[in-house]
Amino acid sequence: MIENPLKIGLKKKLALRLFDHYRHNEAKTHQLRYLFWECTLRCTLNCLHCGSDCKQSANVPDMPVEDFIGAVKKIVPIVDPNHTMVVFTGGEALVRKDIEKAGIELYKMGFPWGIVTNGFLMTPERMVSLLRAGMRACTVSLDGLKESHNWLRNNPLSFDRAIAAIRLLPQTDLRYDVVTCVNNRNFDELPQIKQLLIDLGVKEWRIFTIFPIGRAAENPDLQLPSDKFKAVFDFIEETCKEGKIIVNYGCEGFLGDYESRVRKSFFFCRAGINVGSILVDGSISACPDLRSRFIQGNIYKDDFAEVWQNKYQIMRDRSWTKTGICKDCEFFRHCEGNGLHLRNEETNELAFCHLKRMIGEM
């Protein structure tokens, strides 16, 4: 257990400084490694913590597969397809019956692809269909034991469907993991969730905490107090030491001395640096959670390759985030303003700081 996450040893400080140089070089070279396709806004569930653009209607039509594939073809000259993962997300990607069609086209071009799913529509037959279309990765959400998962997912069948989907994963050659969003309802269940996943044969587990964006901003039960928030990282570190399942904290938030203890690498918001996205209306963005001011173009009027090469400066130079609580922070050089989706688009202020939450100042 780390008593003070703000106190970082000399060895880790040196490692963080070296990583700063790596992060800045990545911003300069900006090789596209992950491309998210928001293939639909339709969903099987109505989750209490949904971070999608809740101002948009699910009646927005799905983008035709041909339009998405046409945009991807534009980037082939500037990427190595074999090292650029395409991820289908939503909404719920599996509501579409034609993602296999998109998958086959990506496979022909050399792109590995995968999906992020709540598992509700995953069946053995659909899994076979996806694998035949070239799927190489899959992430399924499990947000607690039965009662707490169904509460968060707002559906009494969700837990059983998610478990059925997870059972299929170890039977494949996929790269897969299970993700869990920790909140006040499922915090005490973490040891049981861990054992359940181990019993199911799951090898990798990703843990997130929920932040006040999207629908989650309306429900205080989803926010962990500082003691529980910090305890999540102690739980992750202890689980890592046990060696029974690989567990990592999600990709957001600088964690002070917990860095490298609870995730594979140091914190790095790669939005617009290695991560791009095509949203359901054709908007070109980075992380699918970034909209409005972060939109860089649209595939229906812009060349995706040109946009990737020459825009995204708001994400590749983040000096503008040094304001508000970030202005005088001693850790800004390592954090650069946290994940961009946590910044107020009108004021630039940071809505959530991991370090401040851990020490009880937020």
Side-chain angles (χ1 to χ4, degrees):
M1 179 182 294
I2 294 176
E3 294 297 328
N4 184 2
L6 303 184
K7 188 176 181 180
I8 303 175
L10 178 60
K11 184 177 180 180
K12 184 167 291 184
K13 284 182 178 178
L14 292 173
L16 284 167
R17 288 172 185 170
L18 288 172
F19 192 79
D20 292 340
H21 292 295
Y22 163 76
R23 190 176 63 251
H24 294 156
N25 186 64
E26 286 291 286
K28 290 178 182 178
T29 57
H30 51 262
Q31 292 294 310
L32 182 61
R33 299 299 186 194
Y34 281 86
L35 173 62
F36 287 89
W37 180 31
E38 185 184 60
C39 62
T40 184
L41 288 180
R42 293 180 292 145
C43 191
T44 51
L45 303 176
N46 186 30
C47 303
L48 301 182
H49 66 313
C50 181
S52 296
D53 189 350
C54 300
K55 295 179 181 178
Q56 292 196 36
S57 169
N59 292 325
V60 175
D62 297 346
M63 179 185 293
V65 167
E66 293 77 12
D67 296 355
F68 173 68
I69 294 300
V72 174
K73 287 180 178 178
K74 298 286 184 66
I75 65 169
V76 171
I78 66 167
V79 302
D80 179 352
N82 292 315
H83 293 92
T84 304
M85 171 65 74
V86 179
V87 181
F88 301 164
T89 184
E92 168 54 44
L94 291 182
V95 302
R96 292 192 61 150
K97 305 299 183 182
D98 59 354
I99 59 173
E100 287 90 341
K101 180 180 177 181
I104 290 171
E105 293 303 314
L106 291 170
Y107 180 80
K108 290 177 181 177
M109 289 187 281
F111 289 96
W113 65 273
I115 62 169
V116 177
T117 177
N118 59 40
F120 199 84
L121 296 177
M122 184 66 81
T123 63
E125 294 77 17
R126 191 71 193 271
M127 177 65 81
V128 170
S129 176
L130 294 165
L131 291 171
R132 286 177 175 171
M135 184 173 72
R136 291 292 176 264
C138 183
T139 293
V140 179
S141 296
L142 182 69
D143 294 314
L145 302 180
K146 191 166 188 174
E147 183 177 345
S148 56
H149 176 94
N150 288 343
W151 168 78
L152 187 65
R153 293 287 168 174
N154 214 10
N155 188 297
L157 301 177
S158 180
F159 177 82
D160 291 338
R161 296 286 186 89
I163 292 296
I166 292 169
R167 289 185 186 278
L168 297 173
L169 298 176
Q171 304 175 36
T172 71
D173 293 327
L174 291 171
R175 179 179 179 180
Y176 68 88
D177 63 359
V178 172
V179 298
T180 298
C181 291
V182 183
N183 57 77
N184 277 305
R185 293 285 188 102
N186 65 14
F187 172 80
D188 291 328
E189 298 173 354
L190 285 174
Q192 295 165 279
I193 299 170
K194 174 183 68 176
Q195 190 57 53
L196 173 61
L197 294 178
I198 292 171
D199 292 344
L200 290 171
V202 174
K203 303 299 182 184
E204 293 197 36
W205 184 23
R206 253 187 306 157
I207 289 177
F208 289 84
T209 40
I210 300 174
F211 303 105
I213 59 174
R215 294 175 191 160
E218 305 169 4
N219 194 329
D221 281 349
L222 299 178
Q223 304 303 309
L224 294 174
S226 59
D227 58 338
K228 288 183 178 180
F229 189 73
K230 182 177 178 297
V232 169
F233 304 115
D234 293 326
F235 170 80
I236 293 174
E237 184 173 18
E238 187 60 34
T239 300
C240 290
K241 291 177 180 177
E242 292 173 355
K244 296 179 181 179
I245 187 171
I246 298 170
V247 59
N248 284 283
Y249 184 61
C251 59
E252 60 186 358
F254 180 71
L255 305 176
D257 198 37
Y258 282 106
E259 289 294 329
S260 76
R261 295 174 182 263
V262 297
R263 55 163 65 107
K264 294 177 181 178
S265 183
F266 294 131
F267 168 68
F268 184 2
C269 176
R270 295 179 180 269
I273 296 173
N274 305 117
V275 177
S277 69
I278 296 176
L279 305 183
V280 69
D281 64 353
S283 293
I284 299 170
S285 186
C287 167
D289 289 330
L290 297 182
R291 298 172 185 269
S292 298
R293 68 182 290 193
F294 295 107
I295 298 299
Q296 300 297 297
N298 192 291
I299 65 167
Y300 291 112
K301 63 178 182 179
D302 300 305
D303 184 302
F304 186 20
E306 189 277 331
V307 170
W308 180 260
Q309 292 290 68
N310 300 309
K311 294 191 177 182
Y312 287 92
Q313 294 312 307
I314 193 173
M315 301 172 222
R316 294 169 187 170
D317 177 1
R318 303 193 184 186
S319 56
W320 60 272
T321 64
K322 195 173 176 62
T323 185
I325 61 174
C326 297
K327 185 176 181 180
D328 299 314
C329 179
E330 63 178 301
F331 302 109
F332 180 82
R333 63 183 297 177
H334 308 312
C335 179
E336 293 192 320
N338 208 322
L340 293 181
H341 68 291
L342 294 174
R343 304 202 73 87
N344 185 296
E345 294 191 350
E346 296 179 358
T347 66
N348 289 343
E349 295 292 321
L350 180 63
F352 190 96
C353 172
H354 293 63
L355 286 179
K356 287 188 176 295
R357 174 59 61 88
M358 277 193 278
I359 62 176
E361 293 185 1
M362 178 172 278

